């Protein structure tokens, strides 16, 4: 089922939070939605991988990488894990690498841009916590809707 963010904004203006339009679409799926799972990390993607391997199918992993330009938090291998597990998408407040591989993965991916350097592997960070970036709050269990027009978040599922 396709959800248009414009239609959701028109129908539910009081129930949505609009995310800053700073994010670029990289994954094969340009439109996706689902319940939010969260991770906060800094220059370390061990918890990102763990979340991609464990969160429920249909969820969207929201990664707060604190917009660090030091390294990528997601690459082709992790995008394939998400696609193989049936995740709806990944939103990274940070950078990715392996752009062409990520673009071929059958999953939605939004990020700030690309950088070729891989991340550290120390396992530092937090999961399943409220996040704040992109001029909005991201709470585990909230819903996110993404398409070519933007990203919106709601505390409850929205239907057209």
């Amino acid at each position: 089922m396709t959800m248009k963010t414009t239609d959701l904004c028109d129908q539910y203006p009081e129930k949505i939070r609009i995310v800053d339009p700073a994010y670029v679409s990289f994954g094969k799926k340009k439109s996706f939605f689902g319940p939010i799972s969260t991770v906060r990390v800094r220059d370390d993607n061990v918890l990102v991988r763990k979340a991609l391997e464990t969160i429920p199918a249909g969820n969207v992993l929201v990664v707060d990488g604190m917009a660090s330009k030091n390294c990528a938090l997601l690459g082709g291998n992790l995008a394939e894990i998400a696609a193989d597990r049936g995740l709806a998408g990944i939103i990274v407040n940070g950078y990715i690498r392996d752009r062409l591989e990520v673009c071929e993965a059958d999953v939605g991916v939004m990020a700030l841009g690309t950088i070729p350097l891989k991340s550290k592997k120390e396992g530092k960070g937090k999961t399943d916590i409220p996040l704040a970036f992109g001029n909005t709050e991201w709470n585990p269990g909230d819903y996110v809707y993404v398409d070519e027009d933007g990203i919106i978040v709601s505390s409850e599922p929205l239907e057209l």
Side-chain angles (χ1 to χ4, degrees), residues 4-14 16 18 152 158 160:
K4 288 183 63 179
T5 57
T6 52
D7 293 342
L8 292 171
C9 286
D10 292 349
Q11 187 163 343
Y12 301 102
E14 72 289 346
I16 55 115
I18 301 195
I152 62 173
L158 304 175
L160 291 174

Side-chain angles (χ1 to χ4, degrees), residues 37-100:
S37 296
T38 64
V39 174
R40 178 184 294 137
V41 295
R42 174 115 182 145
D43 303 335
D44 183 335
N45 76 350
V46 169
L47 294 180
V48 174
R49 180 185 201 103
K50 184 177 177 184
L52 292 172
E53 293 173 340
T54 59
I55 67 173
N59 275 31
V60 176
L61 181 62
V62 177
V63 179
D64 185 2
M66 298 176 237
S68 171
K69 296 178 182 175
N70 294 333
C71 63
L73 295 175
L74 180 85
N77 293 336
L78 295 187
E80 271 306 314
I81 289 170
D84 291 346
R85 292 204 57 249
L87 301 185
I90 308 160
I91 299 171
V92 182
N93 185 35
Y95 293 80
I96 68 160
R97 68 188 218 149
D98 303 323
R99 174 190 213 128
L100 296 178

Side-chain angles (χ1 to χ4, degrees), residues 76-155:
N77 293 336
L78 295 187
E80 271 306 314
I81 289 170
D84 291 346
R85 292 204 57 249
L87 301 185
I90 308 160
I91 299 171
V92 182
N93 185 35
Y95 293 80
I96 68 160
R97 68 188 218 149
D98 303 323
R99 174 190 213 128
L100 296 178
E101 292 173 35
V102 172
C103 288
E104 288 300 314
D106 194 21
V107 66
V109 177
M110 302 291 286
L112 293 173
T114 63
I115 190 168
L117 186 64
K118 71 179 179 179
S119 73
K120 298 178 209 170
K121 310 289 186 217
E122 297 173 348
K124 295 180 180 177
K126 295 184 179 184
T127 61
D128 299 317
I129 60 168
L131 304 174
F133 66 84
N135 202 34
T136 197
E137 294 178 7
W138 308 79
N139 299 303
D142 282 1
Y143 289 78
V144 62
Y145 301 84
V146 180
D147 65 14
E148 295 85 351
D149 287 315
I151 305 171
I152 62 173
V153 178
S154 173
S155 297

